[in-house]
Amino acid sequence: MSQTIKSIVRQAHSPNELELGNCSNCFNLLEYLKFGVIYCTQAKSRSDADLQTFRISYANQTLREQLGQLVTRGQQLLDITPHLGLPSEVDLDAMIALALNERSAVSLEYEHILHERWFNLSLSALEINDHDLIITLEDISERKQSELRLKRMNQDFMTVLESTSDFITIKDQEGRLRYCSQSLADITGHKSWREMIGKRDVDIFPHETARLYEKEETQVYQHGQSVVNKSDPYFRRDGSRGWLSTTKWPMFSEDGKTVIGMFGISRDISEAKALEDELRTMATTDFLTGLASRRDFTEDLTRQVARIKRSPQATTVLLMLDLDFFKRVNDAHGHAVGDAILQHVSRLMRNEVRRVDSVGRIGGEEFAILMPD
């Protein structure tokens, strides 16, 4: 941008422009800029450069609005510097000397000492009279506020990664980790989640587990489809297995056509899974003998009947067993002895049947065995 301004000022000072009387037309172009511009000239040599030696030849309307005061031609640069709101530690004389000596732009971003505004101050030497100076003042408050919001969002995101008990992963399109939560680092034996950045599942998890994760992520990467509430196993550092409820979403490019990564979040459901398994066992297993419950055995029998109806040549044997005089045992020796007898008989039946056979307790001392062909 400073090069464009230099070009305009050079054009204003060219002999042809001066002859045509169009110098003002060139400076008029600067009036449309959204940032302030000051063109200063100096009577002394560059080695003596300081604020007192520069006088203002031109200042655009934006600059006057930024300073909140009238800036006139011939005014000393020193007169307007307090209105720039520079921090006390800024040495403007040193910046001017550097710009003139190095023949390059010198820039500074700063917050106004009186107003909650941010500016970018830039100084550039202009090789016309060998010691002219272009100063631009750009209001960058919106950009700084956006940067601040982005910084706060990033801090909040880092806080989530550091403190959440859920397992969060963000991967690139090649399956490498870009971010992950500290909780994931903890269960995989890493001191910090930052150690895991750039790694793939195969670098972190057991081979079979990594293959399982990569397989389910195929639909995310190749088809752009989400995986929702998928139950996945994982192994803790002590080797025990836990369970996760996992959801994974594709991350798309700006045009929405290309998958460029994946965001996943998993929650440990090991306790819920154990409770679910326990309830399932209670619903399908006789609590005393460990055999199939009446309900579970009946469902198995129904499936076998349906199979025979589909295939008339198929056969299934159904055995019904009853312990005679069992009530006398309970009455004479008590229910504890009766329970022990039921458990012993159940073990005998389980040991004698095949794996495909089903043994169930369908009453107090009544049992049934289903033996498909």
Side-chain angles (χ1 to χ4, degrees):
M1 185 61 72
S2 60
Q3 293 298 324
T4 303
I5 297 172
K6 286 183 179 181
S7 176
I8 293 174
V9 176
R10 287 194 189 99
Q11 188 178 6
H13 281 266
S14 67
N16 291 335
E17 288 291 343
L18 292 175
E19 289 174 6
L20 294 173
N22 290 331
C23 177
S24 60
N25 292 335
C26 296
F27 282 115
N28 284 342
L29 296 175
L30 302 180
E31 293 295 323
Y32 295 98
L33 297 178
K34 293 183 179 180
F35 53 88
V37 179
I38 307 174
Y39 169 45
C40 301
T41 57
Q42 181 196 28
K44 297 184 179 181
S45 65
R46 298 176 199 165
S47 59
D48 298 323
D50 59 47
L51 292 172
Q52 296 182 4
T53 65
F54 283 94
R55 293 189 177 275
I56 298 173
S57 294
Y58 169 79
N60 69 352
Q61 179 62 29
T62 303
L63 188 282
R64 294 191 290 272
E65 292 174 355
Q66 288 171 334
L67 299 185
Q69 69 164 35
L70 182 65
V71 180
T72 59
R73 182 183 178 89
Q75 187 176 2
Q76 280 192 341
L77 180 60
L78 180 64
D79 295 337
I80 69 168
T81 51
H83 300 280
L84 294 175
L86 291 167
S88 58
E89 65 272 14
V90 175
D91 188 343
L92 192 56
D93 282 334
M95 291 180 63
I96 292 174
L98 183 62
L100 293 176
N101 293 331
E102 299 295 333
R103 315 306 296 172
S104 61
V106 178
S107 298
L108 170 70
E109 290 187 357
Y110 69 95
E111 186 176 13
H112 198 287
I113 58 174
L114 298 179
H115 311 297
E116 294 182 355
R117 308 292 295 176
W118 279 84
F119 292 94
N120 180 281
L121 177 68
S122 179
L123 296 82
S124 301
L126 185 67
E127 297 179 0
I128 294 177
N129 295 326
D130 199 37
H131 42 258
D132 293 349
L133 190 68
I134 291 289
I135 300 175
T136 62
L137 188 65
E138 181 182 5
D139 191 327
I140 57 171
S141 300
E142 289 188 7
R143 174 168 67 82
K144 279 293 184 179
Q145 290 170 0
S146 297
E147 290 175 355
L148 181 59
R149 286 194 295 269
L150 185 61
K151 181 179 179 181
R152 288 173 178 169
M153 289 174 61
N154 187 61
Q155 289 174 341
D156 292 342
F157 180 61
M158 290 297 109
T159 299
V160 170
L161 290 184
E162 295 284 353
S163 59
T164 182
S165 59
D166 292 338
F167 305 138
I168 297 175
T169 56
I170 297 179
K171 298 180 180 179
D172 62 19
Q173 58 189 356
E174 296 181 359
R176 291 188 296 254
L177 280 172
R178 292 173 53 197
Y179 296 96
C180 71
S181 57
Q182 181 60 36
S183 55
L184 184 60
D186 292 338
I187 68 165
T188 55
H190 295 81
K191 291 183 179 180
S192 170
W193 62 269
R194 292 175 175 83
E195 298 176 9
M196 302 174 65
I197 303 307
K199 293 185 177 181
R200 294 182 172 89
D201 287 340
V202 71
D203 303 319
I204 301 170
F205 302 104
H207 182 68
E208 291 300 321
T209 304
R211 287 187 60 187
L212 175 66
Y213 294 165
E214 291 172 358
K215 182 178 179 180
E216 71 183 21
E217 290 170 9
T218 298
Q219 75 177 67
V220 178
Y221 285 110
Q222 295 186 5
H223 306 293
Q225 298 175 350
S226 300
V227 175
V228 181
N229 294 333
K230 176 76 164 50
S231 293
D232 286 332
Y234 78 95
F235 291 90
R236 304 181 181 92
R237 296 179 63 181
D238 61 4
S240 62
R241 186 175 70 170
W243 287 91
L244 302 172
S245 176
T246 300
T247 298
K248 299 177 180 179
W249 297 272
M251 298 167 60
F252 292 96
S253 56
E254 290 186 6
D255 60 11
K257 297 180 180 180
T258 305
V259 177
I260 59 173
M262 185 204 72
F263 173 76
I265 182 167
S266 302
R267 179 160 296 176
D268 194 320
I269 58 169
S270 300
E271 292 186 5
K273 187 75 171 177
L275 179 59
E276 179 184 332
D277 292 342
E278 183 179 350
L279 292 174
R280 183 182 298 108
T281 299
M282 291 173 61
T284 60
T285 305
D286 178 65
F287 74 95
L288 178 62
T289 63
L291 301 179
S293 65
R294 180 187 182 93
R295 176 182 177 181
D296 190 54
F297 186 87
T298 301
E299 290 178 354
D300 197 6
L301 177 60
T302 301
R303 287 191 292 269
Q304 290 300 325
V305 171
R307 183 178 71 91
I308 293 172
K309 288 182 178 180
R310 291 193 304 270
S311 303
Q313 70 275 16
T315 60
T316 295
V317 176
L318 175 63
L319 303 178
M320 304 294 293
L321 297 90
D322 180 82
L323 300 183
D324 292 337
F325 311 114
F326 184 72
K327 186 176 183 304
R328 295 181 185 179
V329 175
N330 276 337
D331 293 342
H333 303 284
H335 288 283
V337 174
D339 289 348
I341 292 175
L342 292 175
Q343 292 170 342
H344 179 69
V345 171
S346 298
R347 284 194 296 271
L348 290 176
M349 287 189 290
R350 275 202 306 267
N351 292 337
E352 294 300 326
V353 299
R354 302 168 301 173
R355 292 177 62 88
V356 296
D357 299 336
S358 177
V359 183
R361 182 187 179 196
I362 59 176
E365 67 275 12
E366 298 170 348
F367 301 88
I369 302 176
L370 196 60
M371 306 176 69
D373 57 6

